[in-house]
Amino acid sequence: MAVGDSTRLEIIFNTKRYRNKMTKKPRIETNEGPPHKSVTIITNVVARPDSTYPLIIKPYKLDISQFSPTKVRDEMKFNITNVSDKDLTVTLISKPEGVFDLQLPDRVEAGKSAQGILKLRPDAIETSFEKSFTIELNDDKTSRFTIPVKRTRRTPGEPAKKATAGHGH
Amino acid sequence: MKKTILITLLASLIFGACSISAAPRLLIENDQFNFGFAPQNSKISHIFWLKSAGDDSLKILKVVPG
């Protein structure tokens, strides 16, 4: 990287069968030499995502796979239910660039549900991927929720285009 | 003769100082990310931005999982 240039580093975390709070610190080794710098990711892995608080998101994983060669599946709706007794505002904190767009409710009233819509970008229709997006609430804990989004694009007789994984820069 | 030696000395000092100060530096803006709640058996991802903020080019050699 030339002086002044920037680049992206995508960190992918597989939550597997982890539980509760997890902290990971991937280390980035450069010609700057030691001590090497790192990034930190923190996650609260939940075994029962259908009973979270103060929000329940259904489905809690968005699978927008397409197996038909003709019927394009490029949109998916999901429900956000506020199970607390306070109205909550929803803010999008992180999403991948150039893969999908999101329509999120600004506010979900106490005890009510609202709908979110994920729409694939045209360039992503022929691809397979595993990504996610993160939202933040205005509750006392400024709770965050990360919703995984997976797409497998396969036509009959063709092996699946495997979703990219790992980390890149 | 003395002048030539002096100039050579000065030049080597200046170039020496330059080579010492020119160094790569990695700058990570927002080096921490909190995903909050995430379901099990899922792949979640986030993009961090890395900047070459030194005065020599930066090479990313390896990313070691934490």
Side-chain angles (χ1 to χ4, degrees), chain A residues 121-141:
Chain A
R121 291 268 183 98
D123 288 351
I125 286 174
E126 293 303 322
T127 64
S128 295
F129 60 82
E130 284 186 87
K131 306 278 185 189
S132 66
F133 64 92
T134 303
I135 57 170
E136 186 177 274
L137 310 175
N138 68 329
D139 61 336
D140 297 341
K141 295 178 181 174

Side-chain angles (χ1 to χ4, degrees), chain A residues 16 24 55 64 80 124 147:
Chain A
K16 296 182 185 171
K24 297 280 180 187
L55 282 190
I64 192 166
I80 301 172
I147 297 95

Side-chain angles (χ1 to χ4, degrees), chain A:
Chain A
M1 285 167 68
V3 174
D5 279 2
S6 292
T7 191
R8 303 170 343 144
L9 172 72
E10 183 178 20
I11 297 292
I12 300 174
F13 177 57
N14 189 342
T15 59
K16 296 182 185 171
R17 301 291 293 174
Y18 293 120
R19 270 172 184 264
N20 304 322
K21 194 173 177 184
M22 298 293 307
T23 301
K24 297 280 180 187
K25 286 180 180 255
R27 191 174 71 243
I28 302 144
E29 295 189 359
T30 66
N31 61 336
E32 186 182 4
H36 294 295
K37 294 186 172 111
S38 61
V39 293
T40 304
I41 53 166
I42 302 163
T43 317
N44 191 354
V45 183
V46 286
R48 296 281 311 274
D50 50 354
S51 59
T52 46
Y53 185 87
L55 282 190
I56 295 175
I57 298 162
K58 280 187 181 171
Y60 54 83
K61 280 186 198 182
L62 304 183
D63 187 342
I64 192 166
S65 294
Q66 181 185 325
F67 301 109
S68 164
T70 50
K71 196 178 173 187
V72 176
R73 190 174 179 216
D74 61 354
E75 190 178 291
M76 191 165 179
K77 291 174 180 161
F78 53 98
N79 278 308
I80 301 172
T81 304
N82 179 354
V83 288
S84 77
D85 56 3
K86 285 180 184 168
D87 294 354
L88 295 168
T89 61
V90 179
T91 309
L92 181 66
I93 293 295
S94 171
K95 85 171 179 69
E97 287 174 25
V99 184
F100 52 77
D101 293 309
L102 288 160
Q103 283 175 38
L104 293 169
D106 296 331
R107 190 177 181 83
V108 187
E109 289 177 36
K112 298 270 177 72
S113 291
Q115 193 176 66
I117 302 172
L118 179 143
K119 186 146 175 72
L120 282 185
R121 291 268 183 98
D123 288 351
I125 286 174
E126 293 303 322
T127 64
S128 295
F129 60 82
E130 284 186 87
K131 306 278 185 189
S132 66
F133 64 92
T134 303
I135 57 170
E136 186 177 274
L137 310 175
N138 68 329
D139 61 336
D140 297 341
K141 295 178 181 174
T142 54
S143 301
R144 286 186 177 190
F145 287 77
T146 292
I147 297 95
V149 183
K150 180 182 178 181
R151 179 174 173 85
T152 305
R153 174 75 177 92
R154 184 166 37 185
T155 52
E158 182 193 354
K161 288 172 186 172
K162 204 175 177 187
T164 53
H167 43 247
H169 52 83

